[in-house]
Amino acid sequence: MAHLLVVESWVGSMSRLLPRAIRESGHEFTFLTRDLHHYLRSAPEGAAHPLLGARNVITTDTNDTQTLLPEVERLHSVFGFDGVITSCDYYLSTAARIAGTLGLPGSSPEAVENACRKDAARRVLADAGVPGPRFAVHGEWADIARAAREIGYPLVVKPVDLCAGMYVRRVDDEEQLTTAVRALADFPLNARGQRRAPVVLLEELMDGPEVSVETVSHAGAVQVIGVTDKSVGGAPAFIETGHMFPAALPAADAEAAELTALGALKALGLTEGVVAHTEIKLTSAGPRVVEVNPRPAGNRITELVRHVTGIDLAAVFVDVALGRAPDLRRTDTGLRSAAIGFLVPQAAGTLEALDGDALRDGPGVLEVQLAEPGRPVKIADSNNEYLGHVMAGDAEGPGARERVEAILGGLRSRLVIR
C-alpha cells in the first residue's frame, strides 16, 4: 500500500475520480487544503465529499509555498509519502515543488511551472521551434495596444494563469481589446485566492478545428492514448460545448496532432510522471499548439477514454505519481466512440425546469447530469457555467457526437429559465 499526498483538487469530476482511483488501487492518501469548506460546500446534501475520506485531512496554507514546504517535510517524516498529486491547475506547480523537495517521482518543478504559465510555455515552445501562433506578452496598455496592431486583428486575449477558458476572448478591434483588458485587470485573484500575474497574453487567432492529445509520460517515454475532438461556442468567449473520443479525423491529421503534442511535451520537459492534455489547432498551415496542460483532461474526457479503451486515466495518474509503470492495455469495451455535450445557458435568470429523467435509459446513453431547479443562471462566458451534460456512446463507429447532439436538442426544448 502506498501513501499519496493530495494537494487541493478541483471540486468537479476529478475530485471524485481521483479518490476512487487511489482507493481502488489499494492505496491511501492524506489531503492537504487551505479551505475545507470549499469542498464541503460542493458535496450533495447529506453526503461526504470523497476527498474527506482521506486517511488524514490537514488544513494549512497551500498558497504560501515558503511556509508550506517545511510543513510538508515535517508531515513526510511522520507519514512517509510515496507520491504527490493534484488535479487542480492552480496547485500543479506546488505539487511538483513538493515532490522535488521530498525526492518523490514527477517532472521537474521548472517544467511544470513553465507549462502552467501560458506566457512561459509560449516562450519555451517558440524557442524549441514547436509551431504555435504569433504572440506577445505585456502589462502596460501602450505596449498591449502596440503589440495587438503588430499581430493584427482579430486576435485572442488571454490571462497567463487562469483556466476553464476564463477571460479568454476574441477581439476584433482596439475598443474590444480595451474592454477585455479592463475585465481581466478587475479580476486580480483567482478562485483560490492566489494573486494573478498582471500581464496579458495576446495571440494570433488561429483557424481550423481544435483537438486535444491525451498522453502518459513515464520513465522518459511519452505514450499517446488518443486524440479527442472539441466543439466551441459562446463567441467572443471560447466555451467548450462538447467532446468526442476518438476524434473523427483523417489518419494523417491525427498523426500530425500527435507529433506536435509530443514535440511540445519534449520541449517543456514533461516526460516523467505526467498525464497530459495538449490542445492543438489543426490550422490551414498545419497543427499549432494552443496550450499544454500537465494533468489529465477535464470535462470528463478521461471518462470518454475509459468508455472506449478501458484505460482509466485517473488510475494511470496515480501510478505515474508513484513512479510506477502504468497499465495502458486496451480492452474491448464494446464502444467505438464516446461523446459528451454540455448544456450551455444562453439566458440569465433562475432555472425553473430541466427535465431529463426520460433520457437516462435512451439508447447509448452513458451519463446524464443536470442542474437542479432553483439554481441562479448567468449567460455563460467560460466553462464554469454549464447546466449539465449528456454522455453517450456508439458501438458501431464515430456516431457518439451526433447522438449526444440529438439528446441535447431535446433537453434545450425543456429548459425553462425565468
Side-chain angles (χ1 to χ4, degrees):
M1 176 187 291
H3 189 172
L4 284 116
L5 176 62
V6 178
V7 183
E8 302 288 4
S9 171
W10 289 125
V11 295
S13 63
M14 191 54 71
S15 71
R16 290 159 174 78
L17 294 174
L18 193 54
R20 184 212 70 198
I22 294 171
R23 185 177 62 253
E24 291 181 355
S25 297
H27 308 313
E28 61 185 5
F29 68 99
T30 288
F31 182 52
L32 209 61
T33 178
R34 66 187 289 269
D35 181 8
L36 194 57
H37 294 283
H38 187 79
Y39 303 92
L40 294 172
R41 289 190 297 269
S42 72
E45 188 173 349
H49 196 288
L51 286 165
L52 305 188
R55 173 181 168 183
N56 312 289
V57 177
I58 298 173
T59 301
T60 189
D61 190 352
T62 51
N63 285 350
D64 184 353
T65 309
Q66 190 171 6
T67 59
L68 178 64
L69 289 176
E71 171 71 1
V72 169
E73 288 182 293
R74 185 187 67 79
L75 293 172
H76 182 51
S77 70
V78 176
F79 298 123
F81 301 122
D82 300 293
V84 186
I85 200 168
T86 182
S87 67
C88 181
D89 296 52
Y90 299 138
Y91 296 95
L92 290 167
S93 297
T94 302
R97 290 188 66 183
I98 292 172
T101 299
L102 301 183
L104 297 175
S107 288
S108 74
E110 181 184 14
V112 175
E113 287 167 7
N114 282 338
C116 291
R117 277 282 301 238
K118 294 178 175 65
D119 52 343
R122 279 278 171 248
R123 293 184 181 112
V124 170
L125 296 178
D127 289 346
V130 178
R134 290 177 294 132
F135 72 96
V137 184
H138 293 291
E140 299 298 326
W141 169 251
D143 297 325
I144 293 169
R146 183 185 68 254
R149 291 190 294 270
E150 291 171 353
I151 293 172
Y153 294 100
L155 50 76
V156 180
V157 174
K158 290 183 177 181
V160 299
D161 48 10
L162 291 176
C163 49
M166 293 183 67
Y167 293 93
V168 179
R169 297 290 183 271
R170 169 181 169 145
V171 297
D172 294 308
D173 53 41
E174 192 163 303
E175 182 179 358
Q176 292 179 8
L177 178 65
T178 302
T179 300
V181 170
R182 283 177 177 167
L184 194 49
D186 289 340
F187 192 75
L189 302 176
N190 67 24
R192 299 307 179 94
Q194 298 168 336
R195 185 158 295 280
R196 294 190 44 260
V199 294
V200 175
L201 175 60
L202 304 176
E203 293 181 354
E204 167 192 9
L205 180 67
M206 297 184 285
D207 63 359
E210 186 172 330
V211 299
S212 61
V213 182
E214 323 308 335
T215 56
V216 177
S217 301
H218 173 70
V222 184
Q223 183 163 335
V224 174
I225 303 302
V227 180
T228 310
D229 78 8
K230 176 189 295 188
S231 56
V232 177
F238 295 84
I239 301 171
E240 296 178 1
T241 59
H243 304 275
M244 185 172 75
F245 182 90
L249 290 175
D253 286 347
E255 182 180 8
E258 291 172 5
L259 289 174
T260 303
L262 291 173
L265 292 167
K266 181 179 179 181
L268 287 163
L270 296 172
T271 58
E272 180 59 52
V274 177
V275 178
H277 170 72
T278 303
E279 297 172 346
I280 305 286
K281 269 278 194 179
L282 300 175
T283 77
S284 54
R288 300 286 185 268
V289 174
V290 176
E291 61 185 40
V292 179
N293 299 281
R295 44 82 178 155
N299 271 351
R300 296 191 72 73
I301 290 173
T302 57
E303 291 302 277
L304 301 182
V305 171
R306 183 179 63 84
H307 281 300
V308 175
T309 69
I311 297 172
D312 185 345
L313 287 176
V316 168
F317 191 28
V318 170
D319 284 337
V320 298
L322 292 169
R324 302 181 179 186
D327 184 0
L328 300 179
R329 293 172 296 177
R330 295 171 183 256
T331 58
D332 187 355
T333 64
L335 292 180
R336 297 296 171 263
S337 67
I340 187 168
F342 300 99
L343 194 59
V344 180
Q346 306 295 322
T350 300
L351 179 61
E352 185 169 296
L354 180 55
D355 181 12
D357 289 344
L359 303 174
R360 299 180 192 276
D361 297 325
V365 173
L366 301 170
E367 290 181 12
V368 177
Q369 182 176 315
L370 303 174
E372 294 292 329
R375 168 178 160 171
V377 178
K378 58 177 284 191
I379 297 174
D381 58 9
S382 73
N383 297 339
N384 293 325
E385 281 88 41
Y386 299 136
L387 293 179
H389 70 258
V390 174
M391 186 186 297
D394 180 15
E396 304 299 326
R401 174 179 284 283
E402 185 177 343
R403 185 167 293 173
V404 163
E405 287 300 328
I407 296 169
L408 280 177
L411 265 179
R412 292 186 189 102
S413 69
R414 292 192 288 275
L415 172 63
V416 180
I417 297 174
R418 299 198 187 280

